[in-house]
Amino acid sequence: MRYRSQLLLLGVLFFHLSIGFSQKTYLLKPARVFDGIAIHEGWWVLVQEEKIVRVGPSTDFKNLSNTSLETIDLKGCTLLPGLIEGHSHLFLHPYNETPWDDQVLREARSLRTARATLHAKLTLKAGFTTVRDLGTEGAEFDDVGLKQAINQGIVPGPRMLIATKALIATGSYAPKGFSPDIEVPQGAEEADGHDKLIQAVRRQIGKGADVVKIYADYRWGLMGEARPTFLVDEIKLIVETARSSGRPTIAHAGSTEGMRRAIMGGCETLEHGDAGTPEIFKLMQEKGVALCPTLAAGDAVSQYRGWKKGVEPEPERIKNKRLTFKQALDAGVIICFGGDVGVFAHGDNAREMEMMVEYGMKPLEVLKSATSTNARVFHLAQLGQIQPSFLADLVAVEGHPDQQISDIRRVKMVMKNGIIFKE
């Protein structure tokens, strides 16, 4: 028993040393600060406990007398708000490792949860201090426990906004190809009609959902194409039920009609938007509905299917995605940063940021999308900007990501809630 206690103590000590955490007062001295809106050369930041208490030119920080102050010199670095991943699935791993059907049907939930804790750590180390995790994809309500474990300091990871199981129309989303006599596990929760939809929304909220996610369409058309699932009145009912608890509703929507129904039903963000049109994007702009384009997911799936990127011509799917993304930008649609991480590797979240630039956004606008824009759209009042009284979620990267977006990968320091996580 004594030996086991010693091992446990050593394990706890190793955990704390491995993430290198401490919480006190820090003076951060980067070369420049991106405050969520603009770049400021020669600015410094003072952090006390979990809050930012002062931001401004280095000349404003003279005669600091706090004896517990620790100065961190970040020469050549840009200090940014902690990045906010808008579309993640911590309970999935890349489909070229294991297809989605096999993850849902063959992998034990205990295995998926163990893997998800690693995904959370990789995400945080890459500079993403918050994730909107949009469905466990068959892992039931296990994201609730993962969120609790992170909040309690049991495992390192980003703060999580979770959608738990997500909502699907009956028959639209489960793994396919089985005998109709067999009931197989679902990738989300089936619900239809007035009473059952209200019950499902309330059940997910009661279990811990921060956001209600619906699949406004899916590939269940007669020829396997994406077609709408829920009716507009059903979506309105879901949105009204969720909104009564203060929660937003968001929609997986790739088809033109699925997008239209989600917009008219009151969803706050649309995920993917592959078949958007100028008319649909105009409607999104008028209604203030944001688009999370998930460019990197489509890029990854195309490569899994054999496309040799940079060698072969782009598939029609990729060409169309370039076009629709430009149409959304031209229409002035709010663009949320989110890559559908899990389709590709966790920790490689910056892949989406690089593709947003490749597809037409300016690097500075991409940085805004991943910080202040996501914070505003996701109702995160004290995140996404570097200013006094905001939570001390900060990331320092070497270089100028506002000029060369790939510099966002050169992570030097990650701070979440005033705690420094480092190797």
Side-chain angles (χ1 to χ4, degrees), residues 183-223:
E183 295 291 332
V184 298
Q186 304 291 291
E189 182 173 359
E190 290 185 323
D192 317 271
H194 188 276
D195 291 353
K196 289 185 178 180
L197 280 173
I198 290 177
Q199 290 171 0
V201 172
R202 289 174 175 167
R203 179 167 46 251
Q204 293 195 9
I205 290 170
K207 296 290 187 179
D210 301 305
V211 58
V212 173
K213 178 187 178 181
I214 68 169
Y215 283 78
D217 52 33
Y218 206 68
R219 297 185 297 273
W220 71 328
L222 185 61
M223 305 304 294

Side-chain angles (χ1 to χ4, degrees), residues 7 11 25 29 73 91 98 100 102 122 124 136 146 154 166-167 198 207-208 223 261 264 285 325 354 383 386 406 416:
L7 283 177
T25 302
K29 299 166 63 176
D73 202 338
F91 285 83
T98 306
W100 181 86
D102 287 349
L122 292 171
L124 181 62
T136 59
L146 177 60
I154 298 169
L167 287 169
I198 290 177
K207 296 290 187 179
M223 305 304 294
R261 292 187 188 184
M264 300 311 296
Q285 192 276 332
F325 186 65
E354 292 168 338
L383 294 172
I386 300 179
S406 60
K416 177 192 154 196

Side-chain angles (χ1 to χ4, degrees), residues 34-36 79-83 127 129 371-372 383-386 393-395:
F34 170 69
D35 64 0
L79 187 71
L80 308 96
L83 303 172
T129 58
T371 55
S372 57
L383 294 172
Q385 296 186 54
I386 300 179
D393 276 26
L394 301 163
V395 57

Side-chain angles (χ1 to χ4, degrees), residues 278-330:
E279 293 74 25
I280 286 290
F281 292 130
K282 183 175 184 292
L283 185 62
M284 290 183 70
Q285 192 276 332
E286 291 172 350
K287 298 287 188 181
V289 178
L291 174 67
C292 194
T294 64
L295 307 176
D299 179 81
V301 169
S302 293
Q303 291 186 66
Y304 299 159
R305 292 174 178 170
W307 173 44
K308 295 180 175 58
K309 186 175 182 177
V311 177
E312 298 177 346
E314 290 185 339
E316 286 303 313
R317 174 180 180 174
I318 300 300
K319 291 179 181 178
N320 182 69
K321 193 70 172 180
R322 282 184 181 273
L323 174 63
T324 56
F325 186 65
K326 183 179 185 303
Q327 289 172 343
L329 292 177
D330 291 344

